[in-house]
Amino acid sequence: MYVSGHRGMVGSACARRLAAAGAEVITADRARVDLRRQDQVEAFMAQAKPDAVVVAAARVGGILANDTLPAEFRFACARPVGYRAFRIRVTARTL
């Protein structure tokens, strides 16, 4: 199971919980895949071949920026990951 945003508060909690339940947790840091870039997401997911995806990644911008443009910050990473999950028929959940 691929957990995007595994270094953030929500993603790290999901990754720990899944690992404790015995799931194989797949992660990738920013140096490996930029989740805002569809081509990098496509290549990573083709290589990793996850059975399911947890989208816990988001762009960080601070309190004012997040309050002013909440959808842009939340979906900057979710859109490419969710699209690829749909294309390869993998279950994806956005947190």
Side-chain angles (χ1 to χ4, degrees), residues 57-79 94-95:
R59 198 171 103 198
V60 178
I63 295 170
L64 179 61
N66 286 327
D67 189 49
T68 305
L69 303 166
E72 286 81 352
F73 280 85
R74 182 68 196 106
F75 295 112
C77 298
R79 189 176 305 115
T94 302
L95 302 176

Side-chain angles (χ1 to χ4, degrees), residues 1-4 6 11-28 32 44 48 50 52 54:
M1 181 174 300
Y2 170 53
V3 178
S4 70
H6 71 283
S12 64
C14 288
R16 283 192 309 272
R17 175 76 175 180
L18 290 166
E24 178 187 347
V25 177
I26 301 166
T27 62
R32 185 168 178 196
F44 169 74
V54 175

